Amino acid sequence: MEKNMERENIIKNLENELNNVKTKNDLANVKALFLGKSGVVTNLSLKMKEIPNEEKKEYGKYLNEIKILVTNKIEDKNNEIIRLELEAKLNSEKIDITLPARHSLKGSIHPMTRVVEELEDLFVSMGYDVVNGPEIDTDLNCFTKLNLPAGHPARDTQDTFYLDNDYLLRPHTSPAQVRTMEANKNKEPLRIVCPGKVYRRDDDATHSHQFMQFEGLVVGEDISLADLKGTLELFAKKLLGEKTKVRFRPSYFPFTEPSCEVDVTCFKCGGKGCSLCKQTGWIEVLGAGVVHPNVLRMSGYNPEKYTGFAFGPGIDRFAMFKYGITDIRQIYTNDIRFLEQFDRKDAE
Ligand code: PHE
């Protein structure tokens, strides 16, 4: 009975002490108080020598019981502290996933790129290949082989920036015709388009020194002006709308014969006449024609066997029509406020 009381007291004291324990340090102090050198449990075991021999065994059992109880309780408290410390650590390191995400800046497709891509899709669907040519090209490719030998007066209309006597910034994408024909060497019929930047020594308010063209070339047997007309009509209708009408006017280019300028009905007034089309109802969009036999010959094609047509629209105009851009400079100045209007959604 006495022992039970004693044991209960010890446990109660221990529980009281443990209730105040907050840290591992506190716990170490309590442990010393009970299991340390002069701790409560240790003192109890020192009493062993006063116990009569016949009771020693029972006393030993009793001591053991207390030791186990005390050790277990301290161990439990230790585990609790570890758990609480871990919880506190996890809480302090918690990532708050409810925070609003950082805004990611979304780009948009440039209106010129969109027109180029749309045209490429159209021509690829008709069996054309898309080719690229260098923006720095030779005098030979840009002029001579397009039937504009040195000194030809029509060179003036396409004056550009020369790097030296032989190399220049291409004034049109037509050298792509020469390059492609030479690479294919009279081999098979050709159907190509070549989009790209071109340069002119223009210095008036309505022209830019740099703009974009989209050259087209078809060479094969029995290719005629009728094929050119059909192709360009389709081109204009697909790009500017089914109601668009196309008009062909005779013109002159040294590399095509016959040559024509092509007009489309004004996208703004539909042909009635407005300020954009200067009351004519028409807007000029490209030059085209049947490839001159000299051009075919100079690039290795036999003009007796093959004929072809070529066209070369400036596509800045198309982008302006299509997206209602009123100042051509906006296309090239990369003002983000302007470009942001063309977001990806309506590019799809
Ligand atoms: N290269 C001509 C220009 O830049 C356009 C053109 C291309 C004309 C192909 C006829 C054939 O003005």
Side-chain angles (χ1 to χ4, degrees), residues 52-70:
N53 273 348
E54 60 276 17
E55 288 173 25
K56 271 197 167 42
K57 197 174 168 196
E58 202 187 324
Y59 191 73
K61 208 173 138 202
Y62 162 72
L63 269 181
N64 240 351
E65 262 176 35
I66 294 191
K67 220 176 185 167
I68 289 170
L69 269 174
V70 170

Side-chain angles (χ1 to χ4, degrees), residues 158 171-172 174 177 200 213 215-216 253 255-256 287-289 310-312:
Q158 301 197 329
H172 50 183
S174 299
Q177 298 185 25
R200 297 270 171 100
Q213 281 191 340
E215 192 80 8
F253 296 103
F255 30 91
T256 46
F311 55 92

Side-chain angles (χ1 to χ4, degrees), residues 204-224:
D204 62 279
T206 57
H207 289 89
S208 159
H209 64 282
Q210 179 214 299
F211 56 103
M212 289 278 280
Q213 281 191 340
F214 191 88
E215 192 80 8
L217 172 72
V218 173
V219 179
E221 289 181 46
D222 298 326
I223 300 291
S224 73

Side-chain angles (χ1 to χ4, degrees), residues 303-341:
E304 303 297 328
K305 186 169 178 204
Y306 292 122
T307 46
F309 68 75
F311 55 92
I315 51 178
D316 307 59
R317 282 263 179 101
F318 287 114
M320 292 177 77
F321 295 167
K322 221 174 147 67
Y323 300 111
I325 300 165
T326 48
D327 184 341
I328 194 167
R329 286 168 299 187
Q330 284 176 321
I331 292 177
Y332 295 106
T333 44
N334 288 337
D335 184 335
I336 194 131
R337 291 165 303 178
F338 167 73
L339 296 170
E340 262 171 0
Q341 301 170 64

Side-chain angles (χ1 to χ4, degrees), residues 26-41:
D26 297 345
L27 187 64
N29 289 337
V30 173
K31 193 173 175 183
L33 216 55
F34 285 80
L35 301 172
K37 245 189 217 159
S38 46
V40 177
V41 178

Side-chain angles (χ1 to χ4, degrees), residues 7-186:
R7 183 172 55 203
E8 257 175 47
N9 272 339
I10 291 173
I11 298 304
K12 226 183 232 146
N13 282 342
L14 175 65
E15 282 172 348
N16 281 341
E17 292 289 345
L18 287 178
N19 277 343
N20 294 326
V21 164
K22 298 252 154 33
T23 64
K24 281 195 172 163
N25 230 351
D26 297 345
L27 187 64
N29 289 337
V30 173
K31 193 173 175 183
L33 216 55
F34 285 80
L35 301 172
K37 245 189 217 159
S38 46
V40 177
V41 178
T42 323
N43 284 342
L44 269 189
S45 46
L46 289 179
K47 279 195 191 152
M48 183 65 115
K49 37 186 194 284
E50 295 156 24
I51 304 291
N53 273 348
E54 60 276 17
E55 288 173 25
K56 271 197 167 42
K57 197 174 168 196
E58 202 187 324
Y59 191 73
K61 208 173 138 202
Y62 162 72
L63 269 181
N64 240 351
E65 262 176 35
I66 294 191
K67 220 176 185 167
I68 289 170
L69 269 174
V70 170
T71 313
N72 283 349
K73 286 212 179 279
I74 290 176
E75 188 58 31
D76 286 352
K77 190 71 190 182
N78 190 41
N79 288 339
E80 189 186 320
I81 291 174
I82 290 174
R83 187 174 53 80
L84 289 176
E85 275 180 358
L86 184 68
E87 254 170 38
K89 190 164 182 251
L90 287 178
N91 276 336
S92 74
E93 289 174 2
K94 197 156 89 181
I95 300 166
D96 183 356
I97 54 164
T98 62
L99 271 179
R102 234 181 258 161
H103 217 62
S104 64
L105 282 175
K106 198 175 69 164
S108 59
I109 296 173
H110 194 283
M112 285 302 282
T113 310
R114 286 215 223 170
V115 170
V116 170
E117 285 177 354
E118 202 176 318
L119 285 176
E120 283 177 354
D121 281 351
L122 171 66
F123 281 96
V124 165
S125 78
M126 295 195 284
Y128 286 65
D129 286 330
V130 179
V131 303
N132 281 305
E135 285 170 34
I136 294 175
D137 211 329
T138 56
D139 182 278
L140 203 63
N141 287 339
C142 292
F143 292 124
T144 310
K145 289 195 168 175
L146 288 168
N147 211 23
L148 279 137
H152 194 294
R155 279 190 175 213
D156 283 354
T157 61
Q158 301 197 329
D159 203 10
T160 181
F161 304 94
Y162 281 78
L163 305 175
D164 57 27
N165 280 340
D166 298 323
Y167 286 93
L168 43 92
L169 294 180
R170 64 176 177 194
H172 50 183
T173 41
S174 299
Q177 298 185 25
V178 174
R179 289 177 165 272
T180 317
M181 283 194 281
E182 292 194 337
N184 281 270
K185 276 278 179 288
N186 203 27

